[in-house]
């Protein structure tokens, strides 16, 4: 566990979408139930690909795509995965209007793309990941994670 978290904290290079999904599947095993994961990075950095890897780890077999136009996709597997793409939200209050708390079924994970567009208190105990692009490669780095008590 600590090895993977150390690697991701230092930044892991993935060269293919399959590599990105594989890394997400590994991290999925470490995420506590009822967690939020905030994914930052440019368009095309692999945020939705990463979320697809989380979904596969929890036995979700349906297609996992970016919820850019419908804002939120909900998937059910060993865990419920709520995938929010906040890119098109005008302000943090618009995120609250989605009533995500009413949709959550334990154990859940809320994956938020473009987390800077949601209320900051949603991120108080979030795992913070940044995805960046360099040529064909992606770098995935864990910027912070909640303390073990959360």
């Amino acid at each position: 566990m600590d090895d993977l978290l150390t690697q991701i904290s230092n930044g892991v290079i993935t060269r293919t979408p399959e590599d990105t999904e594989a890394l997400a599947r590994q991290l999925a095993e470490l995420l506590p139930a009822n967690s939020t994961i905030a994914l930052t990075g440019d368009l095309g950095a692999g945020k939705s690909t990463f979320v697809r890897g989380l979904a596969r780890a929890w036995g979700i077999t349906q297609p996992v795509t970016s919820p850019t136009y419908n804002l939120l996709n909900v998937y059910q597997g060993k865990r419920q995965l709520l995938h929010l793409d906040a890119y098109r939200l005008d302000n943090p209050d618009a995120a609250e209007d989605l009533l995500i708390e009413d949709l959550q079924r334990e154990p859940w994970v809320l994956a938020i793309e473009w987390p800077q567009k949601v209320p900051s208190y949603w991120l108080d105990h979030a795992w913070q990941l940044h995805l960046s692009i360099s040529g064909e490669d992606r770098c995935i780095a864990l910027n912070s994670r909640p303390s073990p008590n959360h």
Side-chain angles (χ1 to χ4, degrees):
M1 172 176 151
D2 286 335
D3 282 349
L4 178 62
L5 292 178
T6 298
Q7 288 173 8
I8 297 175
S9 293
N10 292 327
V12 173
I13 301 296
T14 62
R15 294 192 161 79
T16 66
E18 293 78 18
D19 290 347
T20 299
E21 285 187 35
L23 182 64
R25 284 194 306 273
Q26 289 179 306
L27 184 61
E29 300 304 318
L30 304 179
L31 288 173
N34 308 330
S35 295
T36 298
I37 187 165
L39 301 159
T40 60
D42 294 330
L43 287 170
K47 296 180 294 295
S48 290
T49 301
F50 192 89
V51 173
R52 186 169 45 248
L54 295 174
R56 298 300 176 250
W58 298 318
I60 297 166
T61 58
Q62 66 198 95
V64 175
T65 58
S66 176
T68 301
Y69 294 101
N70 54 341
L71 302 178
L72 180 70
N73 290 336
V74 179
Y75 306 97
Q76 191 61 55
K78 292 178 203 163
R79 293 190 190 190
Q80 182 191 54
L81 174 61
L82 300 103
H83 183 193
L84 172 65
D85 185 334
Y87 183 76
R88 297 194 182 284
L89 294 179
D90 294 331
N91 61 63
D93 291 337
E96 290 182 348
D97 292 343
L98 296 173
L99 303 174
I100 289 174
E101 300 83 16
D102 292 343
L103 300 173
Q104 292 171 327
R105 301 290 176 260
E106 292 189 10
W108 54 264
V109 169
L110 172 60
I112 304 172
E113 296 186 37
W114 306 99
Q116 60 273 30
K117 301 243 185 160
V118 302
S120 60
Y121 66 85
W122 282 21
L123 308 174
D124 287 345
H125 304 292
W127 293 66
Q128 305 275 340
L129 284 173
H130 182 75
L131 291 82
S132 57
I133 306 170
S134 178
E136 295 297 313
D137 296 340
R138 305 293 186 264
C139 180
I140 302 167
L142 178 63
N143 291 339
S144 68
R145 64 184 177 123
S147 64
N149 323 4
H150 294 281

